[in-house]
Amino acid sequence: MACFTVPVAEAIVTTAITKIVKSKEKAGESSSKGEVMKVKLSEKLSWLNKMLLGGSALLAFEHVWHGEVIPAFPFLTAVTNGETSEMLHEMGTVGVTMSVLVTLVWVGMVAISSALEKRKTEDTVTMGGVRS
Amino acid sequence: MTLLVTVFAAVICSILWYKGAPKDEMRLSSLCFMLWGASIMWFVDAIFEYAELGAEFFNVAGADMLNDLYLGLSVIALALIIWIVTLFIKDPKGIVRATIMKKN
């Protein structure tokens, strides 16, 4: 019905957070020079944004296909047909689960990425120790 | 069927990205994220549908399957259009910019 709106809402929030983090990273860029190469937090957040926005865009298309989204106000057939409570229930169950699962997958990706970065940092430190 | 088509597209896209990684000049990672995001969302949708219908979920009528396949392919087409438009706007290789400048 309108489950894709929940990931869209999350994507709007995470995009705003990404913009803030990016501007903060730009401000502190000069002080971090010389550190071991790491994937920036803004870059990691952009992975989540792309999954949420891209996924919900394709899902929105599916809803248009099935006639659940219409090009006229209120844009949702469920609202026009008086099925608002069912729609809200679906958003609260399916929509929230979609957002949670996408976020969990992203958390997993960030954890793997951080573990790899940590290992690389340790390797660099060890190699430096051997050389000296 | 839509979920299956999207998952296959996501896997193929991921393989193509892996072949060119870590360069990603064609910004295939964006397409991968988009397709995987949609796959996860449809997977959740499928779980809820399975919980509601049970084994009936797998008994799809031929016409419905064909419609879902058509939808799946249309979804992939839309994803490709979004990706190509983003690629041309971001223009990481500067090809679009160079072509326009050459013409002027």
Side-chain angles (χ1 to χ4, degrees):
Chain A
M1 285 176 179
C3 51
F4 70 95
T5 51
V6 181
V8 169
E10 190 190 342
I12 291 167
V13 175
T14 55
T15 307
I17 294 169
T18 310
K19 296 264 180 207
I20 296 164
V21 170
K22 213 172 199 174
S23 64
K24 278 187 180 174
E25 279 172 352
K26 261 189 184 170
E29 219 163 48
S30 55
S31 61
S32 64
K33 273 180 185 170
E35 277 183 16
V36 177
M37 212 179 85
K38 279 184 177 177
V39 180
K40 289 177 182 173
L41 180 62
S42 61
E43 180 69 28
K44 287 175 183 171
L45 278 165
S46 80
W47 302 343
L48 179 62
N49 292 340
K50 284 171 191 168
M51 279 202 285
L52 287 169
L53 277 175
S56 38
L58 300 183
L59 226 71
F61 176 73
E62 187 237 43
H63 282 71
V64 173
W65 184 282
H66 287 134
E68 292 167 357
V69 174
I70 43 171
F73 188 80
F75 306 108
L76 299 163
T77 350
V79 179
T80 319
N81 298 343
E83 296 166 346
T84 314
S85 60
E86 285 97 323
M87 184 191 78
L88 290 172
H89 178 261
E90 202 206 55
M91 281 166 70
T93 51
V94 184
V96 169
T97 316
M98 281 174 179
S99 290
V100 169
L101 194 62
V102 170
T103 312
L104 280 176
V105 168
W106 174 74
V107 168
M109 285 165 64
V110 170
I112 292 167
S113 160
S114 301
L116 289 172
E117 282 166 10
K118 202 177 169 189
R119 196 157 46 164
K120 200 172 181 182
T121 313
E122 282 170 4
D123 285 352
T124 314
V125 170
T126 316
M127 279 171 74
V130 169
R131 272 184 203 144
S132 62
Chain B
M1 198 63 169
T2 313
L3 169 66
L4 268 179
V5 173
T6 318
V7 168
F8 275 119
V11 169
I12 291 167
C13 183
S14 301
I15 292 167
L16 291 174
W17 166 81
Y18 188 82
K19 271 181 87 177
K23 263 189 169 178
D24 198 27
E25 278 179 331
M26 297 295 285
R27 299 180 65 86
L28 274 171
S29 62
S30 300
L31 185 60
C32 288
F33 282 126
M34 203 191 314
L35 292 171
W36 280 119
S39 300
I40 293 167
M41 290 178 194
W42 267 309
F43 176 66
V44 171
D45 207 31
I47 287 171
F48 274 89
E49 217 171 308
Y50 178 74
E52 199 182 303
L53 301 173
E56 195 65 27
F57 172 75
F58 299 103
N59 295 331
V60 189
D64 290 342
M65 201 183 269
L66 201 65
N67 186 264
D68 275 356
L69 175 68
Y70 187 26
L71 170 63
L73 291 174
S74 305
V75 162
I76 304 305
L78 178 68
L80 288 171
I81 289 167
I82 295 171
W83 167 69
I84 203 84
V85 169
T86 318
L87 180 72
F88 285 172
I89 290 170
K90 299 265 178 178
D91 197 17
K93 283 182 159 181
I95 292 169
V96 176
R97 229 168 296 135
T99 312
I100 293 167
M101 296 292 268
K102 205 177 171 184
K103 276 184 181 170
N104 290 333

